[in-house]
Structures are given as structure tokens and as C-alpha cells.
Amino acid sequence: MYVSNLHEFGRLLPTEGYNASRLHSDLWEIFDNPLDWKEKYIHPKYSEIFTGGVVEEPCPDVFWFPIFSETTCDELVEEVENCGEWSGGKNEDKRLVGGYENVPTDDIHLTQVGLDQVWLHFIREYIAPVALKLFSGYHTKGFAMLNFVVKYTPERQAYLKPHHDSSTFTINIALNNKGIDYQGGGCKFHRYNCAVESPRKGWSFIHPGRLTHLHEGLPTTNGTRYIAVSFVDP
């Protein structure tokens, strides 16, 4: 038997770099206050990815797991909407090297809201261990040039045509609730004739980006659907 007499009475928080001018400043605290950041923003069932049966495989090599808390999803959506600089889903895109996007989405890059370094650290700390567990033998660099939030609406952009991603693997995190915030949506993988039509808020898909996993975004028929996407190891 193991007995501990240690008690958690709290901890001192460094505040020198805290920027209270942001809408949700705690989102940036992954470096200075990592324990509080994890407690607030990572899904309470995250550890069960490694110990229990929480991971699902709805399509071949498409894994589904909990990653973000409700708070993370809500605050991230509020941050990008506060920015408001949506791309409009156009092919011409000055944010990209070359200025052209072959398969455009109506999105905001996390560089636009200053969350790019936070997001890359999140990938290395929380996504990389999941990728290693699910794709045995692959050690990710945890690098992603494109990290963005997509907004699907019937009026602006309802769906995304079949495409491959410029990634070794992609993560796709649902940021709001189907049936409450929107209707329709989901993702279809053509090679397997398999669709995931009921994304769960705070859960992520992870799937190979190239060759085997041609996929499309299914039409959002009502409301607004938000997802966070990263193309990891391009």
C-alpha cells in the first residue's frame, strides 16, 4: 500500500508576462502556468487515451479522442470571432507563400490571433504522445505550418470538396455541438466509403493527410460549425 501525506495547497503563479488585454488571456499561459493551463483547457478524459478504451476508430486509420475542454472550445471560437478576419474561402490568399490556396476554407489562421506558438507547443505536448500511441513507430516532429479555425455556414461556405491534406497527419477538433449549434456537417473518407457525421465538441480526429485518406467536408445545412485544424509534419 502506498500512502501519501502530501497536500495540494495551491501554487505560486508567475504573472510577469500575463497580458490582460486579450479576450481570454489564460489561453496563452501554456508556457508560464502549464499545470493550470492543462487543468482548464485539456479534456478531463485525456489520460484515458493511454489507459482506457476512450479512443474510437470510426473509419480505417481515422481515430477519435477527447482533447479539449468545453472552455477551450468556447474561448477559441470567441477569440477568432473577436478577430473577425475570415478569409472568405477564396483561392487567392495573401497569408500563404505563393498567395494561392487550392482547396480554400473560410478560416482564420492562429497566427492572426497570436496563438501560433501556443498551438505548436500544445501539439508537441498533447498531440505527439497520442500520435505515437495510435501510429506505432512514427515519432512526429510536432511541426505544423498551417493551424487554423474553419467556419462552415450555409451562407458562406457549407462544405469542402474532396482533397488530400499537405500533412503526414491531420488533426481536426470539433469546437461546437451538432444538433445545437448547427445541422449537417461531418467528414467523409472516400477510399473507405466511410463518414463521421456526428462530431463531438472537444474531440479530435487524427488521420493520415496524404495518399490513402482522400476526404471531404460534408455540407452544413443550418447554423454555424467551427473546427480547429492542423496539418502536422508537412
Side-chain angles (χ1 to χ4, degrees):
M1 177 182 292
Y2 175 78
V3 178
S4 172
N5 63 352
L6 296 177
H7 293 274
E8 176 68 57
F9 292 106
R11 46 189 171 265
L12 295 175
L13 302 179
T15 59
E16 294 86 355
Y18 194 83
N19 186 347
S21 67
R22 299 183 175 110
L23 189 62
H24 297 293
S25 299
D26 285 355
L27 279 170
W28 280 260
E29 289 295 287
I30 194 170
F31 299 107
D32 291 336
N33 296 306
L35 294 178
D36 290 291
W37 194 94
K38 180 179 180 180
E39 184 176 295
K40 182 174 183 179
Y41 292 120
I42 294 300
H43 197 287
K45 290 188 176 182
Y46 174 79
S47 62
E48 295 181 28
I49 296 170
F50 309 97
T51 61
V54 70
V55 176
E56 300 177 22
E57 188 178 5
C59 301
D61 283 331
V62 178
F63 298 98
W64 205 6
F65 59 91
I67 188 64
F68 278 159
S69 67
E70 293 259 343
T71 299
T72 324
C73 299
D74 294 342
E75 291 189 4
L76 186 54
V77 168
E78 289 169 10
E79 284 289 345
V80 294
E81 282 292 3
N82 185 57
C83 171
E85 297 175 1
W86 297 97
S87 64
K90 300 175 182 178
N91 293 107
E92 293 74 22
D93 192 339
K94 295 180 180 179
R95 301 171 301 174
L96 303 177
V97 176
Y100 187 86
E101 171 58 63
N102 188 44
V103 187
T105 51
D106 192 10
D107 59 48
I108 288 179
H109 290 184
L110 293 183
T111 54
Q112 294 174 250
V113 293
L115 276 170
D116 47 319
Q117 294 305 310
V118 169
W119 194 265
L120 289 174
H121 192 69
F122 154 72
I123 289 174
R124 292 165 188 147
E125 288 291 313
Y126 295 103
I127 297 298
V130 179
L132 180 60
K133 176 178 175 58
L134 299 177
F135 299 106
S136 179
Y138 181 74
H139 296 267
T140 175
K141 303 179 184 69
F143 178 69
M145 293 180 64
L146 287 177
N147 310 289
F148 51 99
V149 173
V150 179
K151 177 163 70 172
Y152 288 113
T153 65
E155 298 80 17
R156 290 171 61 94
Q157 182 180 18
Y159 65 93
L160 192 61
K161 67 181 183 180
H163 63 283
H164 289 103
D165 296 333
S166 56
S167 68
T168 301
F169 68 86
T170 295
I171 59 171
N172 178 328
I173 307 171
L175 298 180
N176 59 345
N177 289 302
K178 181 170 181 173
I180 298 174
D181 303 308
Y182 66 91
Q183 302 291 336
C187 187
K188 181 178 180 180
F189 295 89
H190 285 244
R191 180 182 178 91
Y192 309 105
N193 193 29
C194 180
V196 184
E197 297 180 346
S198 298
R200 300 171 191 155
K201 184 178 180 180
W203 284 56
S204 178
F205 296 127
I206 184 171
H207 62 81
R210 298 187 177 92
L211 191 63
T212 57
H213 282 65
L214 181 74
H215 57 286
E216 66 176 299
L218 298 174
T220 297
T221 57
N222 189 43
T224 303
R225 177 189 178 209
Y226 296 96
I227 59 174
V229 177
S230 285
F231 296 159
V232 185
D233 296 342

